[in-house]
Amino acid sequence: MKPLRTGSDLAWLSATVAVAFLGSLIPLITNNRFYYYDDTQAGAFGIWFEIGTKLSAGEWPLFSDSAWGAGNYAAEGQWGIWNPLILLIGWLASRSANIVVFSTILKISFLCLLAAGTFLLARSYKARPEWSAIAGVAVTLTGFTVYIDAASWVTGLMVFSLLPLTWWGLRRMAFQERNPFPALAPAYVLITIGYVHGTLMLVIVFLGLLLEAWLNGRRRAALRLLFAGLVCGLIATAVYLPGVLTAPVTARSGGIANSGFLTPDLTGMYTAWVPGSLPQVTGWWGGFATVPLLYVAWFLPVLAVVDYARVRAAGRDMTALWVVGALSLALTLAPSDLGPLRFPIRIMPYVSLTVLLVLAVMVSRFRVPALSRGRIAATAAIVLSGLYLAWSQYPSFRVAALFGFLALGGIVALLMVLYSHRLHSRFRSPAALAGGVLLVSMVIAAGQHVAFKSSPLPDYRMPDSPGGYSSQLPEAQGGTFIVGDPTTLGPEIWNETLASNAWYLNSAEVQNLYTPIMFAKYAEDLCISSHGWTCPAAAGKLFETDPATGRILADLLSIDTVQILRDPADPQSATAFNGPPPGGWHEAGRSADSVVWVRDQPLLNTGHVVWTSEGTDVSVVSESSQEVVLRVDRTGDAPAQAVFSRLAWPGYDADGATVVAPLRGYLLQIEIPAGSAGTTVTVRFAPPGWPAVVGSITLAAGVTVAWSLAELLLHRRRRPGSPQPAPEVAATV
């Protein structure tokens, strides 16, 4: 196949992005909040807003003592503190007038990026432009990407959207010896988003490309890939090292187990071409998916027209595709808990990507010239068996008939375009082929969103505008704790309270924020979930006396405000909800669903010393999220202890004292030497491994810039007659 002119490829690329953009609008026809579900509401937007707020105040979002279990941003990784794109998104989010519109535009932009990267990657493997365009659009319409990542798990969408572009850049850098910047720049952005599944898949892409280079005898390509991999490894070190060193105190699992939760099976994978298939995937929604979660593309049965003997002969050129496909499928079918990795179905987008790339390449390069009866029979067997298995999982004749007819009609029409010589040539042109396939894809997508209007993940129905988050808890003073689960009370509750990271949009200093890692002992003591809601018993726990200090827990946590939510599961309200506030507190507000208690004399001392051992007095000289300076006013003849209202994250050290075992397993505690009266004690926090983190990110950025500039200068100085690396066919755009 002769390479197309750059202008032609650019036209195809533009068309791919344009059609993907139109496809991304389809969910909005039936649900204008489609792109603002679950974790986007409870987690992501609050993070972006807080990032933008801190940047506007001249602060870098590294650590917050007042955010408690959610405040260790470096350890969480997914705050993207090293990522310029995330910082820009945060700055824009803090200025957005409508949260739903902002989230929608952002996610559609990433879907368009995904389409563009997939087109470029398919072309680099010598797929024809029409099939590259088909793959580029189709990957944005796959079930998991649309209904889970795009609707809710936005960090998953971000890294997935960046992977094809990074993969394309790496192939271009290695096999064409082009400038490394188009590979390393998206790789940097992908890794520093902090979503580990994306980084894991990038490692697998590197392995596939290295094997591809080795099998094809491309030693220089392998060396360039190894060097690029070293740079990416430095970036990953900066992102993930604090989390790894913090893991011993978090709720991250380290074992291997299989609960069956969010684990697809082979039957569901086999029916991935059936648009109405509702596979057996156990999740929060029950035993079967309520949307076509594993759907990839209706035209997958066309793989039956590929000459696999020719594929075997030229298969080394596609080595990375085989490696990424095989390993991503293995991870998708893995146990539900694989060390710190949970929910294997998260890898399904990468399976979809690889399948569509393989199809585009093989149909472009290895399609049989004529259909035999055997291949027609094989295609029919695949179609009929797939339709039957899809129907057997969800035996709805109406859904099966509707989507089965659409898919079957599309497959027959596609085979006619590919093999019928009776059709006019204009109907067999590349543009007509791509247009027809994508038109059917759009009709099917529209049908899916009529039948399945929303993500299976929850829509908490939080307010659309930032102003809707400012009026809750006007009585709050100082550190604030929410008892209960607001999501059980209906959307009207958002007039009185918020949930998870939505509190970042409110002025109250609330502990109940979203965190994927959690400080385990703190979470266990207060029965607080990763989303920040608690069991009703947390109200009583807050006012229990700690045996080691004689202080109530609310004092040790610097809590001045408690909001208790009604528990719908307890119709008698036999909890603290209907009881009087404890001594020293008063009821500041009450409704049918919530009651607010506030201290008579608020402490307003989050992060400060909240207890010292007998005979010891200290005073706070200065305090910030990462540093507390104390003056020791009085000590006895024995070493003294001081407890802070801070979580004892790994990374704290002290000058003039020693950090010792935390109180209750989670509150920061230091030991002050005897005879220290009149001295100063400084307690500081830095993420564990911080020198290595800073050194790694600095070195990675420096090497990337230096390597890119060096390649640019060498390219400019190369004489016209000097030898050039052999370009890959159809790899340039």
Side-chain angles (χ1 to χ4, degrees):
M1 183 184 72
K2 295 181 179 180
L4 293 179
R5 297 189 305 274
T6 300
S8 178
D9 266 14
L10 285 174
W12 277 104
L13 175 61
S14 300
T16 301
V17 173
V19 176
F21 171 75
L22 294 175
S24 69
L25 298 178
I26 290 174
L28 301 176
I29 297 173
T30 57
N31 183 354
N32 62 1
R33 290 172 61 95
F34 184 86
Y35 292 109
Y36 190 58
Y37 269 62
D38 190 36
D39 279 5
T40 302
Q41 291 181 45
F45 188 85
I47 289 175
W48 300 333
F49 189 92
E50 179 70 358
I51 287 173
T53 302
K54 285 187 175 294
L55 291 177
S56 297
E59 301 176 32
W60 187 45
L62 178 65
F63 182 80
S64 173
D65 62 319
S66 62
W68 288 82
N72 197 340
Y73 306 145
E76 289 201 10
Q78 292 185 41
W79 273 68
I81 59 176
W82 298 107
N83 190 306
L85 178 60
I86 297 298
L87 298 180
L88 174 62
I89 290 171
W91 186 83
L92 293 172
S94 65
R95 286 158 172 77
S96 65
N98 189 293
I99 299 171
V100 176
V101 172
F102 178 86
S103 301
T104 299
I105 293 173
L106 179 69
K107 292 178 178 183
I108 288 176
S109 299
F110 275 101
L111 288 170
C112 291
L113 177 65
L114 172 63
T118 302
F119 174 87
L120 294 172
L121 183 55
R123 290 292 286 142
S124 77
Y125 278 104
K126 306 176 188 176
R128 292 185 59 83
E130 63 270 26
W131 282 103
S132 299
I134 290 169
V137 174
V139 76
T140 68
L141 301 175
T142 55
F144 190 89
T145 293
V146 171
Y147 282 100
I148 301 295
D149 279 350
S152 172
W153 296 351
V154 63
T155 44
L157 174 66
M158 288 176 173
V159 295
F160 179 51
S161 299
L162 286 160
L163 187 81
L165 185 64
T166 306
W167 189 347
W168 167 78
L170 289 171
R171 293 196 81 243
R172 185 174 178 269
M173 175 211 70
F175 297 109
Q176 293 182 284
E177 299 193 9
R178 304 291 291 273
N179 195 288
F181 192 78
L184 295 179
Y188 178 92
V189 177
L190 187 158
I191 296 168
T192 55
I193 286 172
Y195 195 77
V196 69
H197 294 81
T199 304
L200 173 63
M201 292 308 302
L202 181 59
V203 171
I204 292 174
V205 167
F206 266 105
L207 292 175
L209 290 174
L210 283 168
L211 185 59
E212 190 174 305
W214 179 69
L215 290 176
N216 287 283
R218 303 292 295 273
R219 183 176 177 182
R220 282 176 58 87
L223 290 175
R224 290 170 70 86
L225 284 166
L226 286 171
F227 193 66
L230 176 62
V231 174
C232 291
L234 290 170
I235 300 168
T237 297
V239 174
Y240 295 108
L241 183 61
V244 171
L245 297 178
T246 303
V249 304
T250 69
R252 286 292 191 187
S253 170
I256 297 176
N258 189 16
S259 64
F261 195 80
L262 290 181
T263 54
D265 59 17
L266 289 174
T267 301
M269 303 297 279
Y270 184 79
T271 60
W273 68 271
V274 182
S277 176
L278 302 182
Q280 186 173 352
V281 177
T282 301
W284 296 279
W285 45 79
F288 286 83
T290 57
V291 297
L293 206 59
L294 301 182
Y295 172 69
V296 176
W298 61 270
F299 50 83
L300 294 187
V302 81
L303 283 167
V305 306
V306 173
D307 185 343
Y308 288 95
R310 292 170 60 199
V311 173
R312 286 193 297 271
R316 287 187 298 184
D317 295 340
M318 301 169 62
T319 300
L321 291 174
W322 308 133
V323 171
V324 175
L327 292 182
S328 60
L329 179 61
L331 288 171
T332 303
L333 298 173
S336 61
D337 298 275
L338 199 61
L341 301 178
R342 300 179 303 153
F343 310 160
I345 201 171
R346 293 179 194 261
I347 306 296
M348 185 62 199
Y350 304 94
V351 176
S352 303
L353 171 67
T354 314
V355 167
L356 289 168
L357 287 169
V358 166
L359 183 145
V361 174
M362 293 202 304
V363 174
S364 295
R365 298 172 56 185
F366 309 118
R367 180 165 61 89
V368 294
L371 270 183
S372 64
R373 291 182 179 178
R375 289 187 183 274
I376 294 174
T379 305
I382 292 171
V383 170
L384 293 175
S385 60
L387 290 174
Y388 174 76
L389 289 174
W391 171 80
S392 68
Q393 291 181 101
Y394 182 66
S396 165
F397 286 99
R398 188 173 72 171
V399 171
L402 171 64
F403 290 108
F405 174 78
L406 287 173
L408 180 59
I411 291 167
V412 171
L414 177 57
L415 292 177
M416 289 180 63
V417 170
L418 291 174
Y419 289 103
S420 176
H421 297 288
R422 296 180 180 179
L423 289 177
H424 193 280
S425 59
R426 74 177 64 175
F427 298 112
R428 301 175 59 197
S429 67
L433 172 66
V437 171
L438 294 179
L439 178 61
V440 174
S441 299
M442 294 297 173
V443 171
I444 285 175
Q448 287 176 324
H449 287 282
V450 169
F452 316 108
K453 293 181 175 62
S454 62
S455 170
L457 299 173
D459 177 9
Y460 302 121
R461 305 300 301 177
M462 289 187 187
D464 292 356
S465 65
Y469 295 80
S470 60
S471 61
Q472 297 81 1
L473 273 185
E475 314 93 340
Q477 296 193 54
T480 303
F481 195 89
I482 314 299
V483 176
D485 180 356
T487 64
T488 63
L489 295 171
E492 296 79 13
I493 195 63
W494 305 133
N495 295 319
E496 303 171 30
T497 193
L498 294 170
S500 306
N501 286 346
W503 282 114
Y504 282 121
L505 281 73
N506 187 280
S507 60
E509 185 186 293
V510 174
Q511 293 190 17
N512 307 65
L513 301 170
Y514 175 80
T515 169
I517 60 173
M518 297 193 294
F519 198 112
K521 292 293 185 181
Y522 167 75
E524 291 168 8
D525 203 19
L526 291 164
C527 61
I528 186 168
S529 73
S530 62
H531 280 69
W533 38 80
T534 77
C535 63
K541 174 68 73 171
L542 289 174
F543 295 97
E544 288 183 0
T545 300
D546 174 66
T549 63
R551 304 288 299 276
I552 66 169
L553 184 55
D555 294 345
L556 297 175
L557 296 173
S558 293
I559 293 174
D560 293 321
T561 304
V562 177
Q563 184 183 50
I564 303 172
L565 304 178
R566 180 175 62 85
D567 180 12
D570 180 16
Q572 303 302 317
S573 296
T575 63
F577 179 76
N578 276 342
W585 294 67
H586 64 276
E587 186 177 296
R590 175 178 286 276
S591 74
D593 290 322
S594 69
V595 60
V596 179
W597 295 344
V598 179
R599 283 184 192 270
D600 296 337
Q601 296 181 339
L603 301 173
L604 305 177
N605 63 346
T606 298
H608 292 212
V609 173
V610 289
W611 176 84
T612 57
S613 55
E614 187 176 356
T616 303
D617 290 323
V618 300
S619 53
V620 176
V621 176
S622 64
E623 188 271 339
S624 67
S625 277
Q626 291 182 244
E627 182 179 273
V628 182
V629 179
L630 306 174
R631 183 176 61 250
V632 182
D633 299 320
R634 182 168 67 98
T635 60
D637 296 330
Q641 282 73 43
V643 174
F644 297 77
S645 60
R646 293 168 172 260
L647 289 180
W649 293 107
Y652 274 105
D653 64 8
D655 294 336
T658 304
V659 176
V660 295
L663 179 71
R664 301 178 73 90
Y666 59 88
L667 285 172
L668 180 65
Q669 184 170 213
I670 63 171
E671 184 174 271
I672 303 171
S676 295
T679 65
T680 298
V681 173
T682 301
V683 179
R684 299 187 185 88
F685 174 83
W690 191 241
V693 167
V694 175
S696 295
I697 202 76
T698 303
L699 182 59
V703 169
T704 298
V705 172
W707 186 10
S708 301
L709 289 176
E711 291 266 357
L712 181 63
L713 292 173
L714 286 173
H715 176 74
R716 288 183 174 181
R717 291 178 179 178
R718 192 174 290 139
R719 292 177 298 178
S722 60
Q724 301 285 333
E728 291 190 58
V729 178
T732 58
V733 175

